[in-house]
């Protein structure tokens, strides 16, 4: 039957004969081994732990190589939840300090197999970069997902706990396969209802599945929960009645989820309640919860993403609020800091809080879901973005004080190190909307495990497991992926421009955006500051002086228009249109070429992808091809909108060798997409 | 005041300071001379004729040079309505056989002046190529214009004859300035009401204005007029009652318009009534009217554009109907033949009726209005199209029997030679919707006057008079114009493809078009005949054998796939997708490159135009720029629609170095523009 359908397919599309795939398998496209192979070798496990048995089972089912012995060895704490693999062509030994280490080792071996690497002589030791490798789901209880572009939430609250969807296990397995061991399953803009007893029973259902893959559940909590759910007079963190309510609630949680991870809190930010409502500090709020969680080994991730509609540069506010509290936080509080000082833009300099907090635990929060990167329509490989932040040198503890080393325990010992990212996962058949958005989930997990991996290496692994082991296909797809993030920056916001998106939903350009009565710090005009002289936000000493929040080594570079990298120029400087760039071009011309280059890059991505027709399965080929068409059109939309708009200030021609606009600025201004900020 | 506004303009758009123009002046942007100049020379006219006085007046007002004597000399009939100009730096002598010749000479002199040519030593003799140089307006009595894209009809029937719009004279003057001397003011799909006595009074109002510029009025008439208006029992051309009605009507017309030109008739075509309704031939119908008009020197233009929903190739039908009637038409009947055998396509081979009619007067009908060329949104300079037909060698009377020489009296003497074209004029402020569509009106007039002018030369004249005398501007604009027609063919219908437009309104691509229950010969499928083997209409002996209607010299080339020019390949042949073209590429690849090249050509036109910012007035600059944006987007739409559709047959990849489609075929198929076939 398959031969026949292949023959028919040949007749319809002669250059394609690969079975269709819907992307539901992610990078886990292992094929079960034959009976012969299964009988030719043994897979043993010296542990009764169910996670260890899970590891054994994966290998029994999918490992095509030699015999493997899995062994738990509690005398190797330095391994953390990592593993050691040694072996020769006849037998492999796997040792781990924790059961989940064996499971990670199993996926490591399967990855070697699936990427055609040698397994006949192995000497591997992997210790994860971060202790807590966390996904943040922004899933609401009504199953919408804030900034979600892959369908509704995976969590079917109406069915739970009675019905356990098979996708919960698939989700857990996928995460375990890349080392993710923590998940905050609800939105940081949290409904208090998640702490209701009825929901705790549902959570227990999820936790039971996740536990088999070494994944702990965390919850986002609403700081007003005591008053709303418990009827306390307020939610003041120093109110004994409130504290008692939290104590009882935490106790209740641990009764049903003994390995519960802790709380993620967005407090006093964008309208969320918090300790400041009662004249208390972030530290007082966080420490109250931390003290209650501590006996259970629970943690509080306290978000530093705070800003208010003041006249102060939004980029400075988190620093201003948190640095004075440095040292006041309990040791099981981790300050969760967005990678940049604004909000998950296509490119931001690192957040100055990194390093500036000297006596507090700090962790990075990335965004995998593409709120500011074309939703699930644009192919943007985010490993280079993640790595750019992690590799940024803050100079906080001298040269080499990268964000990675500040948060992974290398420079500053911590009870637990952690990293988080906002998930891009929904109930779409392919999980992430865009087939290539899977790569961002994958890459985040891999970097959380080992932040020294290169973007290229991660891409190669992912492509080989997801599409094809063929070298030429890997090279082509990798080229697309490695181009994509810079392309997106170029066609959206080159040279340090930021936050010039359409209002609220953030899809498409709206550099002219200026909602009447709206918060200035939500308006593009606030961020680009274009006028007839130039464009860009002066954050030097002559402007908001945000550069003063960085170490002098950094501030000296960012703050000097001559030294500042082009990519951050308009983030830190208001630059005249006539300013001569490093390229020798004027700023205006350079801006034009950047936008145009972004369009060309997307078109090149299309060409490269189209050449793969028939070499990857037709379904995913066509679906990706179709998304790339949208991206190519959107890139032109971005370019035209931004150049035509900024031209009203620069009053200079777009260099004439550049492809001309095909839109009218006034037409583009009339576009109001009917999109919500959740699905 | 002007200085101030210029200064302000400089502030807003520093690279532009030329007064805005709305295009209403067409190519007639003469500036009145100063008193000093007017008094420094004399302009005399030796004739009392009002047209001659008009000529004198134009020169008095606008001529900046030496003295001029205009003289009528009835002893120079060889000049027809042309003129002779001789002169030196002090004085110019103009002689003409007819008063309008003096007017044409005046515009000739002004053209020399406005295009910076020398006038200090003149020896010019101009005799027009065709006697009747005619515009066909497809204007309806409700002021809609069939295939009109420049607003409503110029003719304000509700106001006429009481109110004479100043635009009637502007229209007549513009036509006279390029030698047009005849206008059919109503649609060939004619309302009988035009012959009503009330309308004749209105026509008299127009004729009075036109007469001052040497322009005769003609009317399209409905063959059923006697029955509908006169209450005759039928409209049979042999019915004495019908003949009497026409006699009286013609008499009535000549009473109010003594120089009335005659009738244009679309009979038995696309649902129009005609002699065949009564078993009479086209000749019997035409001759009846011709006999009645003859005493008044009137003419009948009888259209050969006839076809029926039969199984016969539509391209063959006009020939099949008219050739058997050859010799049967009266000598004041002229068969008006569309340039190609189908219908004003972006490119057609010449109509085989040319030359095949040996004993009948024949004239070309072109279409200036861009029914099949992007309406008034696309810049397509049509002189190359007109010239391509006129220069086509039919070999009817041996080598050199071009369409031009067959219809201009050179090869076959005629009572009167004629040429016609469907106008693109409406009541828009700029007359033609697109500023560059004015060039097509101009070019048609110039070629009707002298079909040996080159497209380049006409373009240069028009640009100099319409935009700027600056050599570099002329060169740039000329490059755009000279590229434009081939670009349109490339992005719409290269290699001989034809009639794959959207149904009815003909804007945009619809190669998949196949209206249920519709006439097959109105459907794109009928014309492109695409299948898995190849594409194109086999009109060779193995197919419809339309090539047999051409002279053997022509048929041998068109009919041989090896000899047939690429540009007509798919018009005459069903060609395999794998066929190796002259370029060495397969047909499929060649098709892809042609479409892509068309897109690139439009983008180059944009670049060239944009470089002119500040060198032409800002209003027309921006309006043309805006239209070019539409054209650039439409070109991509055409390319994607046609390539994605034909690819479903060719089942071959679009060559990978070509910019990829950005549309989905299924989305494009859903486009149904709400356009009518008139404005």
């Amino acid at each position: 039957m398959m031969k026949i359908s292949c023959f028919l397919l040949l007749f319809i599309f002669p250059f394609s004969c690969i079975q269709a795939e819907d992307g539901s398998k992610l990078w886990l496209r292992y094929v079960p081994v034959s009976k012969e192979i299964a009988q030719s070798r043994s897979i043993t496990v010296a542990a009764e732990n169910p996670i260890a048995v899970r590891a054994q089972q994966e290998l029994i089912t999918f490992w095509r190589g030699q015999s493997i012995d899995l062994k738990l060895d509690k005398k190797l704490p330095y391994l953390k939840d990592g593993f050691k693999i040694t072996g020769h062509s006849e037998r492999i030994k796997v040792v781990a300090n924790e059961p989940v280490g064996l499971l990670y080792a199993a996926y490591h071996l399967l990855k070697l197999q699936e990427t055609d690497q040698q397994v006949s002589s192995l000497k591997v030791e992997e210790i994860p970069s971060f202790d807590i490798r966390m996904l943040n789901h922004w899933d609401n209880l009504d199953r919408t997902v804030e900034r979600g572009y892959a369908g509704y939430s995976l969590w079917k609250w109406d069915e739970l706990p009675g019905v356990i969807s098979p996708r919960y296990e698939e989700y857990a397995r996928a995460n375990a396969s890349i080392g993710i061991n923590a998940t905050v399953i609800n939105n940081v803009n949290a409904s208090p209802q998640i702490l209701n007893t009825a929901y705790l029973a549902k959570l227990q259902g999820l936790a039971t599945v996740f536990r088999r893959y070494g994944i702990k559940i965390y919850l986002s909590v609403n700081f007003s929960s005591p008053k709303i759910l418990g009827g306390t007079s307020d939610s003041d963190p120093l109110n004994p009645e409130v504290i008692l309510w939290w104590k009882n609630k935490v106790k209740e949680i641990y009764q049903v989820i003994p390995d519960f991870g802790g709380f993620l809190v967005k407090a006093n930010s964008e309208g969320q309640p918090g300790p400041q409502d009662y004249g208390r500090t972030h530290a007082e709020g966080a420490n109250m919860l931390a003290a209650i969680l501590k006996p259970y080994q629970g943690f509080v991730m306290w978000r530093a993403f705070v800003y208010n509609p003041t006249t102060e540069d939004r980029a400075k506010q988190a620093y201003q609020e948190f640095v004075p509290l440095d040292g006041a936080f309990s040791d099981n509080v981790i300050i969760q800091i967005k990678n940049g000082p604004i909000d998950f833009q296509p490119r931001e300099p690192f957040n100055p809080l990194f390093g500036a907090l000297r006596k507090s635990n700090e962790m990075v929060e990335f965004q995998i879901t593409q709120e500011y990167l074309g939703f699930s329509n644009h192919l943007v490989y985010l490993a280079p973005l993640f790595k750019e932040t992690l590799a940024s040198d803050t100079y906080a503890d001298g040269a080499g004080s990268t964000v990675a080393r500040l948060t992974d325990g290398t420079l500053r010992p911590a009870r637990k190190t952690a990293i988080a990212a906002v998930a891009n996962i929904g109930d779409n058949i392919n999980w992430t909307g865009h087939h290539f958005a899977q790569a961002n989930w994958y890459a985040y997990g891999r970097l959380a495990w080992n932040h020294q991996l290169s973007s290229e290496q991660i891409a190669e692994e992912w492509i080989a497991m997801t599409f094809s082991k063929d070298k030429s296909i890997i090279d082509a797809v990798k080229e697309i992926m490695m181009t994509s993030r810079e392309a997106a920056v170029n066609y959206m916001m080159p040279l340090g421009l930021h936050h010039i998106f359409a209002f609220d939903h953030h899809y498409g350009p709206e550099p002219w955006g200026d909602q009447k009565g709206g918060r200035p710090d939500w308006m593009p005009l606030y961020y680009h500051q274009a006028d007839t002289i130039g464009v860009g936000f002066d954050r030097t000493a002559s402007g908001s002086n945000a550069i003063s929040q960085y170490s002098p080594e950094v501030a000296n570079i960012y703050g000097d228009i001559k030294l500042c990298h082009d990519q951050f120029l308009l983030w830190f400087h208001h630059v005249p249109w006539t300013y001569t760039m490093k390229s020798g071009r004027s700023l205006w011309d350079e801006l034009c070429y950047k936008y145009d280059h972004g369009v060309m890059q997307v078109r090149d991505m299309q060409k490269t992808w189209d050449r793969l027709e028939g070499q990857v399965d037709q379904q995913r080929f066509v679906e990706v091809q179709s998304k790339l068409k949208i991206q190519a059109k959107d890139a032109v939309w971005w370019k035209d909108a931004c150049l035509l708009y900024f031209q009203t200030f620069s009053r200079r021609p777009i260099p004439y060798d550049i492809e001309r606009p095909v839109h009218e600025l006034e037409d583009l201004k009339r576009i109001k997409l009917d999109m919500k900020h959740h699905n």
Side-chain angles (χ1 to χ4, degrees), chain A residues 60 108 136 179 202 375 411 571 610:
Chain A
I60 287 172
H108 183 90
N136 289 181
K202 296 169 189 287
F375 294 11
L411 293 175
W571 187 284
D610 277 8

Side-chain angles (χ1 to χ4, degrees), chain A residues 257-332:
Chain A
I257 309 172
D259 55 353
F260 179 72
F263 293 147
L264 171 62
V265 188
K266 174 178 181 178
N268 293 120
S269 173
E270 296 184 324
Q272 291 298 315
Q276 293 176 343
D277 302 346
Y278 309 98
R280 316 301 180 188
T281 67
H282 283 292
E284 287 169 316
N287 291 346
M288 178 273 288
L289 293 172
I292 296 168
L293 286 162
K294 196 158 192 179
Y296 305 96
Q297 327 307 329
F299 274 79
V300 172
M301 277 72 183
W302 195 269
R303 290 177 98 229
F305 179 67
V306 296
Y307 65 102
N308 291 305
T310 69
T311 54
E312 183 60 273
D313 179 2
R314 174 172 160 188
K316 293 174 67 181
Q317 296 182 38
Y319 179 103
Q320 289 172 330
E321 280 206 50
F322 278 83
V323 169
L325 299 173
D326 194 22
F329 291 98
S330 304
D331 70 349
N332 63 330

Side-chain angles (χ1 to χ4, degrees), chain A residues 59 124 133 145 148 177 365 375 411 416 454 603 634-635 652:
Chain A
L59 293 169
V124 175
R133 303 173 295 276
V145 180
S177 77
E365 176 180 328
F375 294 11
L411 293 175
K416 289 267 189 190
S454 72
R603 290 188 183 151
D634 284 358
R652 278 169 174 73

Side-chain angles (χ1 to χ4, degrees), chain A residues 35 165-166 185 200 220 251 255 258 264 290 298 301 322 337 375 437 450 463 471 475 495 515 521 578 612 617 640:
Chain A
K35 256 190 193 172
S165 160
I185 56 91
L200 295 184
S220 295
K251 185 177 173 187
Q255 273 165 355
L264 171 62
M301 277 72 183
F322 278 83
I337 304 166
F375 294 11
N450 179 2
I463 300 161
K471 178 77 167 60
D475 286 347
L495 302 179
Q515 304 271 333
D521 58 346
T578 53
L612 295 173
D617 61 286
D640 284 7

Side-chain angles (χ1 to χ4, degrees), chain A residues 471-483:
Chain A
K471 178 77 167 60
S472 70
I473 297 176
I474 292 173
D475 286 347
V477 176
K478 192 173 67 171
E479 182 187 313
I480 292 172
M481 292 170 71
M482 291 306 298
T483 304

Side-chain angles (χ1 to χ4, degrees), chain A residues 216-430:
Chain A
K216 284 187 178 177
I217 277 190
Y218 291 66
L219 291 180
S220 295
V221 293
N222 185 303
F223 207 76
S224 291
S225 298
K227 186 175 177 192
I228 296 169
L229 287 186
T232 55
S233 57
D234 56 35
S235 294
D236 180 349
L238 301 196
N239 178 350
E241 187 193 9
V242 169
I243 297 170
L244 182 64
W245 186 88
W246 280 113
K247 271 193 176 156
N248 289 331
K249 184 52 71 181
V250 167
K251 185 177 173 187
E252 185 187 356
I253 294 171
Y254 278 94
Q255 273 165 355
V256 296
I257 309 172
D259 55 353
F260 179 72
F263 293 147
L264 171 62
V265 188
K266 174 178 181 178
N268 293 120
S269 173
E270 296 184 324
Q272 291 298 315
Q276 293 176 343
D277 302 346
Y278 309 98
R280 316 301 180 188
T281 67
H282 283 292
E284 287 169 316
N287 291 346
M288 178 273 288
L289 293 172
I292 296 168
L293 286 162
K294 196 158 192 179
Y296 305 96
Q297 327 307 329
F299 274 79
V300 172
M301 277 72 183
W302 195 269
R303 290 177 98 229
F305 179 67
V306 296
Y307 65 102
N308 291 305
T310 69
T311 54
E312 183 60 273
D313 179 2
R314 174 172 160 188
K316 293 174 67 181
Q317 296 182 38
Y319 179 103
Q320 289 172 330
E321 280 206 50
F322 278 83
V323 169
L325 299 173
D326 194 22
F329 291 98
S330 304
D331 70 349
N332 63 330
V333 173
I334 311 181
I335 309 302
Q336 182 167 316
I337 304 166
K338 286 190 181 181
N339 58 299
I342 298 286
D343 191 13
F344 300 138
Q345 298 302 290
R347 168 165 277 136
E348 297 194 36
F350 70 88
N351 195 316
L353 270 174
F354 293 114
L357 290 179
R358 304 193 156 269
K359 293 170 270 177
S360 313
N361 302 316
E362 54 193 19
M363 64 188 282
V364 185
E365 176 180 328
F366 287 119
Q367 191 180 47
I368 309 175
T369 192
Q370 291 170 231
E371 172 180 356
Y372 294 102
L373 284 159
F375 294 11
S376 52
N377 282 338
H378 293 201
L379 190 169
V380 186
Y381 176 51
L382 294 177
L385 186 160
F386 301 154
K387 288 205 51 99
E388 190 171 291
T389 299
L390 292 169
S392 294
D393 197 341
T394 68
Y395 288 88
D397 299 347
S401 304
T402 62
V403 173
R405 286 161 55 84
L406 281 171
T407 56
D408 73 358
T410 314
L411 293 175
R412 299 175 181 177
R415 267 191 69 188
K416 289 267 189 190
T417 61
I419 189 168
V422 183
N424 63 348
I425 301 162
D427 73 347
N428 273 5
I429 185 75
N430 75 2

Side-chain angles (χ1 to χ4, degrees), chain A residues 48-263:
Chain A
E48 296 239 331
N49 180 288
I51 301 177
V53 170
R54 179 80 239 142
Q56 179 192 29
Q57 201 55 50
E58 292 282 23
L59 293 169
I60 287 172
T61 312
F62 300 111
W63 179 251
R64 291 196 300 273
Q66 62 272 57
S67 296
I68 302 175
D69 299 321
L70 303 169
K71 193 182 157 201
L72 203 61
D73 184 348
K74 285 288 183 188
K75 286 166 294 179
L76 301 167
Y78 81 97
L79 276 181
K80 298 186 170 178
D81 53 350
F83 53 82
K84 274 174 69 172
I85 304 175
T86 51
H88 49 73
S89 56
E90 294 300 309
R91 185 163 293 274
I92 291 171
K93 286 188 185 182
V94 175
V95 186
N97 183 57
E98 293 185 25
V100 73
L102 297 177
L103 185 59
Y104 296 150
Y107 291 120
H108 183 90
L109 285 167
L110 289 171
K111 181 173 69 203
L112 295 178
Q113 169 181 290
E114 297 300 310
T115 56
D116 275 354
Q117 294 178 64
Q118 69 83 17
V119 293
S120 58
S121 171
L122 291 172
K123 195 170 170 154
V124 175
E125 183 177 278
E126 296 243 343
I127 304 169
S129 298
F130 299 94
D131 300 327
I132 302 172
R133 303 173 295 276
M134 176 178 265
L135 281 182
N136 289 181
H137 288 269
W138 284 359
D139 294 19
N140 298 314
L141 299 188
D142 63 1
R143 294 195 66 217
T144 60
V145 180
E146 185 164 329
R147 312 302 179 182
Y149 316 106
Y152 285 91
S153 170
L154 276 182
W155 326 128
K156 300 188 172 179
W157 298 111
D158 54 339
E159 295 180 3
L160 280 166
V163 179
I164 301 292
S165 160
R167 294 199 86 180
Y168 304 153
E169 178 159 1
E170 292 170 25
Y171 164 84
R173 179 173 178 245
N175 277 324
S177 77
I178 51 175
I180 286 169
N181 64 359
T183 181
V184 184
I185 56 91
N186 63 319
N187 191 353
V188 286
N189 295 317
S191 165
Q193 300 306 324
I194 191 72
L195 293 177
N196 245 328
T197 302
Y199 273 97
L200 295 184
K202 296 169 189 287
L203 288 168
Q204 186 180 26
L206 292 176
T208 304
V209 177
F210 298 171
R211 189 175 297 119
R212 286 184 235 139
Y213 289 86
I215 294 168
K216 284 187 178 177
I217 277 190
Y218 291 66
L219 291 180
S220 295
V221 293
N222 185 303
F223 207 76
S224 291
S225 298
K227 186 175 177 192
I228 296 169
L229 287 186
T232 55
S233 57
D234 56 35
S235 294
D236 180 349
L238 301 196
N239 178 350
E241 187 193 9
V242 169
I243 297 170
L244 182 64
W245 186 88
W246 280 113
K247 271 193 176 156
N248 289 331
K249 184 52 71 181
V250 167
K251 185 177 173 187
E252 185 187 356
I253 294 171
Y254 278 94
Q255 273 165 355
V256 296
I257 309 172
D259 55 353
F260 179 72
F263 293 147

